[in-house]
Amino acid sequence: MIARILNFLGSWWLTAALLAAGAGLFASVATLDGAFDRWAHVMLDTPAGLAGLALFVINLLMASVRTVVRRSGVADVSAESIQAMDSWVALPQVAVADAADPLAAMREWMSGLGFRPEAAPGGIVARKGKLSYLPGTVLRAGVVVLVVALVLSARLRQEGGVSLVEGQSGSALGLVLHAASIDPGLPAEFLQVGDSAVFRVRGARATVEAGGRTVEITPGYPTYADGLYLKLSHEGFRARTTWRAQGEERTGSPLLDLLPPGRSDEFGLGGATLYTVSLEPERTMSKGLLTGKLFDLARPRLRVASKGGAEAAIVRAGEDAALGGGILSLDAVVPYVHVLVVRDPALPALYGGVALTLLGMLLMASRLAWYERTMRACVHGGTVFVGYNEEFYKKWGVYKFRAWSSALPGKAADGPQAGARMRP
Amino acid sequence: MNEALQSALREGLQWAFLLALVAGYVGRGAGREEASLYAGAALAAAFGASLSYIPTLAGALGSDAAWRAARFLREGGVFTLGMLAMIVPARPRRTWLPLILFAFGASLTLFEARSMGIFVHAQSELTGDTSSVAGAAAGGLAVGLGLFVFLRGHILALPARKALTLPSLLMAIGAFLFAFGGMRELDEGNVLVSTGTAVQLFLEGAIEALQVRLLIPAHRFLDVPWDGLADYLSGDRAATTVLVLMVVTPPVYFLIDLFSRPDPDVSDLGVAAERRLRIAFFRRELVYKAAPVLLSFLVIMVALHALNATANPMDEPAYIPLRSSEEEPGILRLPLTDQMGSMTDQRLRKYVYYAEAGKVMFLAIMKPDGMLGVALDECEICKPAEWNTAAWGYAQMGRNLVCKYCMTPIPVGSVNKPGGCNPIPVPFRMEEGGAVVAIEDLMRVWAETRKLDKEGTHL
């Protein structure tokens, strides 16, 4: 009974049923907004979803255990088991050379075919590709690690962030960060011809002091520091701005999301007035059909307009311009970076799971040529039984064995029984 | 009345084909089973067709969306059962066969009968002539099914079991339903289209979620690792690949399983001609059994191609005339929200500006990255003849713009990039509420385009 349960838990039917259940669940929400988020919520946050995932993990583990045990063990060899193989022959013992020890003759024959026969209870077994179950096992292990890591990450992850300019300090998730240096990776000049999406920033980095260590963070893989993961998740400009008119003064240092060039943002200065701002090109050049805009990203010019108003001013850091009945001064424009701070003990396992899964998928390609081939022989009631199995390409395995076995002593004209299992 | 006749005739012929397949497989001498099949089909057809005339009952049995989902389940389920029948040979008890065939027959006709009932009812109300419309529909069904009744004897006499196995029968019916399920007149959707959309939604969400979990989410302009690969895997090509694999794998598996059977061992036959005969007979049997699945494969290929056209119909909006205002004489404003809705729907908008020099047609579209693209409704290369107005400009097909002259797909994301088959970019700037195009810029680009020596193509 327990064996049946364990067999069921490791069966491919259960795997298929669980995958079908997951797919059916997604199909039921596919027409709703945020379909994937809803599905992920059910899978990762509800008892039923977690139970399903747990069953899935158990299923994959049991399948691997079942496969490893089956493939590693030494099976009993008997006439019945040989007759259940893909193809087999039965030879009169007396016809075999060295009739007193026919298995020795079979051993020699198998060795001549490139197999390495070993003694087994009841007869001999020769196997090639014994370890060919490894790619599947690696793949299943990768999926298990990934699923468990996803569940843990969903429950344990904490996120925070802080935007910093060079020399500024801030904190997130209890970690104090000081931006020692910032290299936004922006080109000094950017010529935008046509599409703004050609703007890609490579090489952005910041040196941050965190938890007594100095680390470099980039938009790439996260950096580990003091139990937390840090990452440069965004950048833009901070503009220290003052507006003065008739004794009134408003200042602010808004963070402006102006990249890629062409994008606009809004900010307010201590009151109801809102301004729309965008990067202003140094020059606009037109040649034939093409229009190019040259932006100075080292000392950018900003186009500032009163929200809803027609008036606009173009200023650079250190310049003033009339706007909204007053004078707008742009004191400084410096790059800022947004540092994402994450606490997630499962992150290494996530990466491990992804890597293992990808490795397993790559290794699975080897299964086209790497698969198990088994030959068995035993003596029973004056008859030598020899059988052959291939895990894949069974048809050609049958043909191969027919060709090999035709040379067997005793496979004569009034010949032995032989068989090949064919699907109805 | 003609529409009712045509659609009923078509559905009748489809039912006749499906019933012929199943009856042929059931074979002669299985009178009870055959009768159960016809009874199930007839009762379900009658029930389904009458539903639209009993609104209370129809409402209680679910919405149109629920019925559509159930139909998709039927189509996918029949196809999947074929695959399962290959792996686990089904041997139902003989006493269950009539019930199984009754249910199967019912499932073949119920959904389309309901749709036909709705269609006929609507046609009757439209024309005000219920008896003629209903009569035409009944007549069409009678002709379609009558063909089966007329040929039944011959169909049952055919050695269908030489070609049909249970897996291949179910797969053939499933493939047929993929292609012809539902009623075209009611635009009831196709299970492959819906599955493809669901696969894409899943892949997009899964890839994005994985990127976020690994702390390498995609960014507007910062280069992050594996961004290109993630973009590809969450695109429609990857989704289509997965869908194709899902529907093509069962018939391919069947054919591999079939042709993987080794020739029989004929070493016991002394005469070479007899050996050859036995092997030839065996192989011929395999070919007969492969035929239905090969046909299913063909039907699936046709359905997948049709899916692509259905999922991405060519959409060309009408030109919206634009002119400058007295307050702002030198600019044209393209509002983000107009009579077509919000530009965030990523649908193509076309505009026309009547200048003294001529009509200037241009387009605007919100790109996947949230930026706007504004360009002339022409490219640097194509030069349709003056009379061939239908070939001028671009239409939208899914996530691409398509040049109507050379049918080159242009990813929407590349609008604003100059050159080649891309629409010629027009300078613009973003302001609150939409885009602003300086008329001077528009006319300059348009005038430069007129000067181009377009070679055109041979079309």
Side-chain angles (χ1 to χ4, degrees), chain A residues 28-284:
Chain A
S28 68
V29 297
T31 53
L32 304 173
D33 285 338
F36 184 84
D37 291 335
R38 289 171 190 261
W39 180 81
H41 167 70
V42 171
M43 296 299 286
L44 294 173
D45 296 329
T46 64
L50 289 171
L53 286 175
L55 190 56
F56 183 60
V57 166
I58 291 169
N59 171 248
L60 291 181
L61 286 172
M62 291 303 300
S64 292
V65 165
R66 190 170 54 101
T67 304
V68 171
V69 164
R70 184 171 52 83
R71 295 284 286 268
S72 306
V74 179
D76 285 350
V77 183
S78 63
E80 289 78 21
S81 68
I82 290 174
Q83 286 172 318
M85 297 177 86
D86 289 343
S87 51
W88 54 275
V89 290
L91 314 166
Q93 184 172 352
V94 295
V96 176
D98 195 4
D101 189 6
L103 289 182
M106 290 299 109
R107 208 175 268 123
E108 196 182 319
W109 176 71
M110 287 181 189
S111 300
L113 294 172
F115 286 82
R116 287 163 65 179
E118 296 165 349
I124 53 174
V125 175
R127 284 199 292 192
K128 287 185 183 178
K130 261 193 279 189
L131 297 178
S132 58
Y133 61 83
L134 282 178
T137 308
V138 169
L139 180 59
R140 282 189 291 274
V143 173
V144 164
V145 170
L146 187 58
V147 168
V148 171
L150 276 170
V151 172
L152 289 175
S153 178
R155 314 205 83 71
L156 299 176
R157 177 174 286 195
Q158 295 173 296
E159 277 189 23
V162 61
S163 297
L164 301 170
V165 296
E166 193 170 288
Q168 189 180 9
S169 296
S171 73
L173 292 186
L175 183 70
V176 175
L177 302 163
H178 175 77
S181 69
I182 290 176
D183 176 7
L186 298 173
E189 283 186 340
F190 173 66
L191 179 63
Q192 185 180 68
V193 179
D195 194 28
S196 55
V198 300
F199 182 78
R200 300 297 294 174
V201 173
R202 295 177 181 86
R205 63 190 69 246
T207 307
V208 168
E209 290 161 13
R213 287 176 54 199
T214 302
V215 295
E216 186 176 85
I217 61 170
T218 66
Y221 296 107
T223 306
Y224 183 76
D226 202 26
L228 297 171
Y229 294 94
L230 310 179
K231 181 185 161 77
L232 197 164
S233 65
H234 191 58
E235 64 181 27
F237 296 104
R238 192 187 75 173
R240 201 162 65 238
T241 315
T242 309
W243 181 83
R244 297 180 187 85
Q246 296 171 344
E248 191 185 351
E249 185 175 292
R250 298 182 207 139
T251 60
S253 297
L255 299 177
L256 303 174
D257 194 9
L258 301 179
L259 295 171
R263 189 180 176 82
S264 61
D265 199 357
E266 291 177 355
F267 69 95
L269 283 181
T273 311
L274 284 179
Y275 300 93
T276 306
V277 61
S278 60
L279 289 174
E280 182 72 7
E282 299 296 314
R283 287 204 313 275
T284 301

Side-chain angles (χ1 to χ4, degrees), chain B residues 37-87:
Chain B
L37 173 72
Y38 302 146
L43 282 172
F47 177 71
S50 63
L51 271 179
S52 66
Y53 296 91
I54 315 170
T56 325
L57 182 61
L61 288 177
S63 63
D64 286 342
W67 276 88
R68 190 180 314 124
R71 178 171 69 82
F72 289 171
L73 201 62
R74 170 197 70 174
E75 290 160 13
V78 170
F79 191 75
T80 307
L81 272 175
M83 173 77 169
L84 287 173
M86 266 194 295
I87 301 167

